[in-house]
Amino acid sequence: MSWKNKEKEKEYREKNKEKRKKYKKEYYEKNKEKISEKNKEYRKINKDKIKKYKKEYYEKNKEKIKKYVKEYDEKNKNKIKEKQKEAYSKAIKKISDFYGTGVISFFTGKPLQFKYKLKNKLLDFCVIDHIDEKESGKKDKLKGEALYKYVCSEKAKLSNYQLLSSKENFIKERLYSLLNELKETNKLHYKFILNSYNKRFVNNKYRLIKDDNDV
């Protein structure tokens, strides 16, 4: 349909806005699987193009996006916190079920508290630690809710994760950071110490058998 008069076009669209909205919703409900597959295929074929577009869009609208995120977070802070609590609890449970350990420290075997159940946030609580720390010095970049959601997803490799107390995790991260500083100054010692570090600080489900005296 072509429009000679822009005002009439605007008037027509405004008048039929709800009708079009309803039609789109009904169409989507009837064809959502087909639409989902089509979108998935498009994203797969145009992965680089989409990535480039997102990057360019963010650079152009950086301040606007930051402002929107800040305002959204402020308006929905209680809702966001509840979602984080739910995702955190599910992720911890999924890892503990995978190993069959319950919620314990993989260093000591002692029970750990859930973070959001503690009133005093200075107390030790359960955290998810990424096990696979190789010579590249790369660590898992996922944190917070993004990490919890990934752990709960089907593609997550749960054997890459372990449960630690927040204090143990802090010590482990600090030592890992110092270890990678050593990599720049003495590669021979670095490899030797990295091997010792992994034996001491990296656990997995096959090394969780403890004597009764150890727990």
mmCIF file of all heavy atoms in Angstrom, residues 29-48:
data_model
loop_
_atom_site.group_PDB
_atom_site.id
_atom_site.type_symbol
_atom_site.label_atom_id
_atom_site.label_comp_id
_atom_site.label_asym_id
_atom_site.label_seq_id
_atom_site.Cartn_x
_atom_site.Cartn_y
_atom_site.Cartn_z
ATOM 1 N N GLU A 29 2.564 -16.973 18.084
ATOM 2 C CA GLU A 29 2.145 -18.138 18.873
ATOM 3 C C GLU A 29 1.919 -19.358 17.987
ATOM 4 O O GLU A 29 2.267 -20.475 18.353
ATOM 5 C CB GLU A 29 0.857 -17.822 19.663
ATOM 6 C CG GLU A 29 1.071 -16.919 20.853
ATOM 7 C CD GLU A 29 2.062 -17.474 21.869
ATOM 8 O OE1 GLU A 29 2.030 -18.689 22.127
ATOM 9 O OE2 GLU A 29 2.877 -16.692 22.387
ATOM 10 N N LYS A 30 1.343 -19.137 16.804
ATOM 11 C CA LYS A 30 1.079 -20.241 15.872
ATOM 12 C C LYS A 30 2.346 -20.756 15.208
ATOM 13 O O LYS A 30 2.437 -21.926 14.842
ATOM 14 C CB LYS A 30 0.103 -19.777 14.783
ATOM 15 C CG LYS A 30 -1.333 -19.670 15.257
ATOM 16 C CD LYS A 30 -2.212 -19.171 14.117
ATOM 17 C CE LYS A 30 -3.637 -18.906 14.601
ATOM 18 N NZ LYS A 30 -4.484 -18.314 13.527
ATOM 19 N N ASN A 31 3.340 -19.856 15.043
ATOM 20 C CA ASN A 31 4.531 -20.220 14.254
ATOM 21 C C ASN A 31 5.846 -20.089 15.022
ATOM 22 O O ASN A 31 6.904 -19.982 14.410
ATOM 23 C CB ASN A 31 4.597 -19.326 13.000
ATOM 24 C CG ASN A 31 3.387 -19.490 12.110
ATOM 25 O OD1 ASN A 31 3.318 -20.391 11.307
ATOM 26 N ND2 ASN A 31 2.418 -18.587 12.280
ATOM 27 N N LYS A 32 5.783 -20.109 16.363
ATOM 28 C CA LYS A 32 6.993 -19.801 17.134
ATOM 29 C C LYS A 32 8.147 -20.780 16.904
ATOM 30 O O LYS A 32 9.299 -20.366 16.868
ATOM 31 C CB LYS A 32 6.707 -19.627 18.624
ATOM 32 C CG LYS A 32 6.081 -20.740 19.346
ATOM 33 C CD LYS A 32 5.856 -20.275 20.793
ATOM 34 C CE LYS A 32 5.035 -21.248 21.581
ATOM 35 N NZ LYS A 32 4.722 -20.727 22.921
ATOM 36 N N GLU A 33 7.847 -22.055 16.747
ATOM 37 C CA GLU A 33 8.910 -23.036 16.499
ATOM 38 C C GLU A 33 9.589 -22.779 15.159
ATOM 39 O O GLU A 33 10.814 -22.821 15.046
ATOM 40 C CB GLU A 33 8.338 -24.459 16.540
ATOM 41 C CG GLU A 33 8.057 -24.923 17.969
ATOM 42 C CD GLU A 33 7.597 -26.365 18.038
ATOM 43 O OE1 GLU A 33 7.863 -27.117 17.074
ATOM 44 O OE2 GLU A 33 6.980 -26.722 19.049
ATOM 45 N N LYS A 34 8.776 -22.509 14.160
ATOM 46 C CA LYS A 34 9.275 -22.210 12.811
ATOM 47 C C LYS A 34 10.114 -20.926 12.830
ATOM 48 O O LYS A 34 11.211 -20.856 12.246
ATOM 49 C CB LYS A 34 8.083 -22.043 11.868
ATOM 50 C CG LYS A 34 8.441 -21.957 10.391
ATOM 51 C CD LYS A 34 7.162 -21.826 9.588
ATOM 52 C CE LYS A 34 7.475 -21.583 8.108
ATOM 53 N NZ LYS A 34 6.223 -21.419 7.324
ATOM 54 N N ILE A 35 9.617 -19.901 13.519
ATOM 55 C CA ILE A 35 10.323 -18.612 13.626
ATOM 56 C C ILE A 35 11.634 -18.784 14.382
ATOM 57 O O ILE A 35 12.671 -18.249 13.993
ATOM 58 C CB ILE A 35 9.422 -17.550 14.321
ATOM 59 C CG1 ILE A 35 8.233 -17.209 13.424
ATOM 60 C CG2 ILE A 35 10.212 -16.292 14.650
ATOM 61 C CD1 ILE A 35 7.111 -16.449 14.121
ATOM 62 N N SER A 36 11.574 -19.563 15.470
ATOM 63 C CA SER A 36 12.769 -19.813 16.284
ATOM 64 C C SER A 36 13.867 -20.504 15.477
ATOM 65 O O SER A 36 15.044 -20.131 15.548
ATOM 66 C CB SER A 36 12.383 -20.665 17.490
ATOM 67 O OG SER A 36 13.500 -20.927 18.283
ATOM 68 N N GLU A 37 13.479 -21.514 14.702
ATOM 69 C CA GLU A 37 14.438 -22.241 13.857
ATOM 70 C C GLU A 37 15.036 -21.336 12.780
ATOM 71 O O GLU A 37 16.231 -21.377 12.499
ATOM 72 C CB GLU A 37 13.756 -23.440 13.181
ATOM 73 C CG GLU A 37 13.600 -24.653 14.080
ATOM 74 C CD GLU A 37 14.926 -25.160 14.626
ATOM 75 O OE1 GLU A 37 15.884 -25.297 13.843
ATOM 76 O OE2 GLU A 37 15.008 -25.391 15.847
ATOM 77 N N LYS A 38 14.174 -20.502 12.214
ATOM 78 C CA LYS A 38 14.600 -19.563 11.166
ATOM 79 C C LYS A 38 15.607 -18.553 11.722
ATOM 80 O O LYS A 38 16.637 -18.269 11.115
ATOM 81 C CB LYS A 38 13.373 -18.826 10.608
ATOM 82 C CG LYS A 38 13.602 -18.184 9.249
ATOM 83 C CD LYS A 38 12.307 -17.617 8.713
ATOM 84 C CE LYS A 38 12.543 -16.929 7.369
ATOM 85 N NZ LYS A 38 11.290 -16.330 6.843
ATOM 86 N N ASN A 39 15.304 -18.035 12.925
ATOM 87 C CA ASN A 39 16.200 -17.075 13.595
ATOM 88 C C ASN A 39 17.532 -17.723 13.969
ATOM 89 O O ASN A 39 18.595 -17.116 13.828
ATOM 90 C CB ASN A 39 15.538 -16.510 14.844
ATOM 91 C CG ASN A 39 14.402 -15.559 14.518
ATOM 92 O OD1 ASN A 39 14.321 -15.050 13.407
ATOM 93 N ND2 ASN A 39 13.518 -15.326 15.479
ATOM 94 N N LYS A 40 17.446 -18.963 14.444
ATOM 95 C CA LYS A 40 18.641 -19.720 14.821
ATOM 96 C C LYS A 40 19.550 -19.936 13.612
ATOM 97 O O LYS A 40 20.766 -19.759 13.681
ATOM 98 C CB LYS A 40 18.214 -21.070 15.411
ATOM 99 C CG LYS A 40 19.311 -21.805 16.145
ATOM 100 C CD LYS A 40 18.752 -23.078 16.749
ATOM 101 C CE LYS A 40 19.839 -23.895 17.414
ATOM 102 N NZ LYS A 40 19.292 -25.166 17.963
ATOM 103 N N GLU A 41 18.935 -20.300 12.502
ATOM 104 C CA GLU A 41 19.683 -20.527 11.254
ATOM 105 C C GLU A 41 20.320 -19.234 10.759
ATOM 106 O O GLU A 41 21.475 -19.212 10.333
ATOM 107 C CB GLU A 41 18.714 -21.083 10.191
ATOM 108 C CG GLU A 41 19.386 -21.606 8.924
ATOM 109 C CD GLU A 41 20.314 -22.785 9.151
ATOM 110 O OE1 GLU A 41 20.053 -23.595 10.066
ATOM 111 O OE2 GLU A 41 21.319 -22.869 8.425
ATOM 112 N N TYR A 42 19.546 -18.137 10.860
ATOM 113 C CA TYR A 42 20.058 -16.829 10.429
ATOM 114 C C TYR A 42 21.272 -16.427 11.257
ATOM 115 O O TYR A 42 22.280 -15.964 10.732
ATOM 116 C CB TYR A 42 18.959 -15.768 10.545
ATOM 117 C CG TYR A 42 19.444 -14.384 10.178
ATOM 118 C CD1 TYR A 42 19.482 -13.974 8.851
ATOM 119 C CD2 TYR A 42 19.888 -13.497 11.169
ATOM 120 C CE1 TYR A 42 19.945 -12.713 8.505
ATOM 121 C CE2 TYR A 42 20.360 -12.242 10.833
ATOM 122 C CZ TYR A 42 20.381 -11.850 9.504
ATOM 123 O OH TYR A 42 20.860 -10.611 9.169
ATOM 124 N N ARG A 43 21.169 -16.601 12.606
ATOM 125 C CA ARG A 43 22.282 -16.247 13.500
ATOM 126 C C ARG A 43 23.522 -17.088 13.212
ATOM 127 O O ARG A 43 24.641 -16.591 13.291
ATOM 128 C CB ARG A 43 21.852 -16.418 14.970
ATOM 129 C CG ARG A 43 20.897 -15.350 15.448
ATOM 130 C CD ARG A 43 20.777 -15.345 16.957
ATOM 131 N NE ARG A 43 20.215 -16.580 17.469
ATOM 132 C CZ ARG A 43 18.916 -16.781 17.668
ATOM 133 N NH1 ARG A 43 18.043 -15.827 17.383
ATOM 134 N NH2 ARG A 43 18.495 -17.934 18.157
ATOM 135 N N LYS A 44 23.298 -18.346 12.883
ATOM 136 C CA LYS A 44 24.405 -19.249 12.574
ATOM 137 C C LYS A 44 25.135 -18.819 11.303
ATOM 138 O O LYS A 44 26.361 -18.767 11.256
ATOM 139 C CB LYS A 44 23.857 -20.675 12.404
ATOM 140 C CG LYS A 44 24.919 -21.743 12.385
ATOM 141 C CD LYS A 44 24.263 -23.116 12.290
ATOM 142 C CE LYS A 44 25.318 -24.216 12.182
ATOM 143 N NZ LYS A 44 24.680 -25.551 12.065
ATOM 144 N N ILE A 45 24.373 -18.490 10.277
ATOM 145 C CA ILE A 45 24.947 -18.085 8.978
ATOM 146 C C ILE A 45 25.610 -16.705 9.078
ATOM 147 O O ILE A 45 26.649 -16.458 8.469
ATOM 148 C CB ILE A 45 23.854 -18.076 7.875
ATOM 149 C CG1 ILE A 45 23.340 -19.508 7.638
ATOM 150 C CG2 ILE A 45 24.386 -17.503 6.561
ATOM 151 C CD1 ILE A 45 22.064 -19.594 6.828
ATOM 152 N N ASN A 46 24.996 -15.815 9.848
ATOM 153 C CA ASN A 46 25.457 -14.418 9.909
ATOM 154 C C ASN A 46 26.133 -14.055 11.231
ATOM 155 O O ASN A 46 26.062 -12.908 11.673
ATOM 156 C CB ASN A 46 24.262 -13.485 9.672
ATOM 157 C CG ASN A 46 23.653 -13.677 8.314
ATOM 158 O OD1 ASN A 46 24.125 -13.149 7.316
ATOM 159 N ND2 ASN A 46 22.580 -14.463 8.255
ATOM 160 N N LYS A 47 26.792 -15.035 11.850
ATOM 161 C CA LYS A 47 27.414 -14.843 13.162
ATOM 162 C C LYS A 47 28.355 -13.634 13.206
ATOM 163 O O LYS A 47 28.256 -12.778 14.077
ATOM 164 C CB LYS A 47 28.178 -16.115 13.546
ATOM 165 C CG LYS A 47 28.583 -16.172 14.990
ATOM 166 C CD LYS A 47 28.852 -17.582 15.475
ATOM 167 C CE LYS A 47 29.893 -18.309 14.678
ATOM 168 N NZ LYS A 47 30.240 -19.621 15.258
ATOM 169 N N ASP A 48 29.269 -13.565 12.244
ATOM 170 C CA ASP A 48 30.246 -12.462 12.211
ATOM 171 C C ASP A 48 29.585 -11.117 11.933
ATOM 172 O O ASP A 48 29.956 -10.091 12.511
ATOM 173 C CB ASP A 48 31.329 -12.743 11.154
ATOM 174 C CG ASP A 48 32.197 -13.925 11.533
ATOM 175 O OD1 ASP A 48 32.333 -14.184 12.747
ATOM 176 O OD2 ASP A 48 32.731 -14.597 10.642
#
